[in-house]
Amino acid sequence: MNLSFYDRAAQTTNPTAKALLQLMDTKKTNLCLSADLSCAGDVLALADKLGPQICVFKTHVDIIQDFTRSFASELTNLSEKHNFIIFEDRKFADIGHTVKEQYGKGLYSIADWAPITNAHILPGEGIIDGLKSIGLNKGNGLLLLAQMSSKGNLFNEAYTASAVEMAKAHRDFVIGFITQHRLTEDPAFISFTPGISSTDQGDALGQQYVTPRQAILENHTDVIIVGRGIYGATDPIAAAEAYRAEAWQAYTDRLCL
Ligand code: 5BU
């Protein structure tokens, strides 16, 4: 499936998916930055510095030791200033009723400021229904975890295929997958790939890396997720530019296949 992000935007109904595909096309970036830092000020500074390079800014809010609601509103302002979409990598994994409460309430109130979040499908379809009951009216979108990058993970083909089936049954709210390979030719679904490094093979805790080119050109996914490869670099701006260029080149090369 070598349709451009621009053409695929017309094939989606979810407003967040449409906005993301359009902004990737106009901004010419399929780089998602994973900002896994523990101070709110550092996360915001990173968003301001690297915002021009990215399509998506991914957070783990439960890492941030000084999280307040104003962090969320300041990040939203930066997402408007630099035109990127916020993705809270919450990996919901409970029954529908509980995830509904976790998504819409509590200190984090994720549904109010993160247009994208994600969920495991282990509990069954009720998890999607629960999140959808809060997120759909807000125009939010959900990514399903269909594969992981970590060594020895327990995902298998049948489980991954179930994720695709569930996504197709909820295409108004499910906008794609966290995955290592493209799983469907359906142009509406966007594939995000974590476990990306141009230099390293992995880390000491089971992370496994592929290069941006392997992910986008060989494995046909759409968006690369990069954390330490960028924020841990001596020059994060130069690193972001390099990851952005490699991933975008791989995407444009794929369009010519
Ligand atoms: P890294 O520093 O580029 O290794 O960070 C990768 C990020 O992606 C980190 O926030 C993880 O929680 C996230 N991640 C991952 O690495 N692998 C996966 O399979 C999934 C998420 Br799902």
Side-chain angles (χ1 to χ4, degrees):
M1 193 248 305
N2 293 324
L3 281 181
S4 66
F5 295 141
Y6 177 86
D7 288 332
R8 288 167 62 187
Q11 311 263 353
T12 63
T13 52
N14 179 281
T16 294
K18 207 179 265 296
L20 174 56
L21 288 162
Q22 283 168 350
L23 97 77
M24 288 198 287
D25 175 70
T26 53
K27 204 172 165 183
K28 301 203 182 325
T29 173
N30 51 344
L31 171 63
C32 165
L33 174 67
S34 182
D36 302 333
L37 303 176
S38 55
C39 293
D42 291 344
V43 175
L44 293 170
L46 200 63
D48 203 16
K49 195 156 69 168
L50 299 182
Q53 306 294 337
I54 61 174
C55 59
V56 173
F57 188 84
K58 185 173 86 61
T59 54
H60 277 300
V61 268
D62 52 1
I63 294 179
I64 299 174
Q65 54 205 18
D66 52 347
F67 177 88
T68 57
R69 291 288 174 93
S70 73
F71 165 81
S73 59
E74 284 176 54
L75 188 57
T76 300
N77 290 342
L78 289 170
S79 76
E80 286 160 8
K81 175 179 171 190
H82 295 299
N83 194 23
F84 60 75
I85 294 179
I86 303 167
F87 165 19
E88 165 52 25
D89 188 0
R90 173 62 177 74
K91 298 186 181 73
F92 290 101
D94 214 318
I95 60 167
H97 176 74
T98 301
V99 297
K100 182 179 160 192
E101 303 291 290
Q102 291 172 320
Y103 185 36
K105 294 182 184 163
L107 174 64
Y108 298 130
S109 196
I110 293 164
D112 292 333
W113 54 270
I116 302 176
T117 191
N118 55 358
H120 286 286
I121 55 157
L122 197 63
E125 251 179 272
I127 191 168
I128 302 176
D129 290 324
L131 294 168
K132 188 155 114 171
S133 71
I134 299 293
L136 189 66
N137 284 343
K138 295 179 188 287
N140 292 351
L142 180 69
L143 298 170
L144 300 181
L145 277 94
Q147 289 178 334
M148 288 191 73
S149 60
S150 44
K151 193 174 175 187
N153 71 69
L154 302 180
F155 288 71
N156 62 28
E157 273 181 37
Y159 185 92
T160 299
S162 300
V164 177
E165 289 315 304
M166 287 190 203
K168 287 181 175 167
H170 295 271
R171 45 191 315 125
D172 51 350
F173 186 54
V174 176
I175 64 169
F177 306 98
I178 304 289
T179 184
Q180 297 294 305
H181 300 88
R182 178 184 293 163
L183 303 172
T184 166
E185 294 305 306
D186 188 324
F189 295 116
I190 306 167
S191 304
F192 283 66
T193 301
I196 298 284
S197 172
S198 296
T199 51
D200 296 349
Q201 307 287 308
D203 69 10
L205 295 175
Q207 176 68 297
Q208 303 177 114
Y209 290 121
V210 296
T211 65
R213 199 162 175 84
Q214 281 172 307
I216 305 291
L217 189 63
E218 292 175 23
N219 300 337
H220 289 209
T221 66
D222 299 313
V223 178
I224 57 163
I225 298 176
V226 186
R228 286 164 286 181
I230 293 177
Y231 69 75
T234 19
D235 183 346
I237 295 184
E241 280 169 356
Y243 277 101
R244 174 193 188 169
E246 189 180 341
W248 191 257
Q249 184 65 52
Y251 160 70
T252 54
D253 288 353
R254 194 177 81 203
L255 288 180
C256 300
L257 286 180

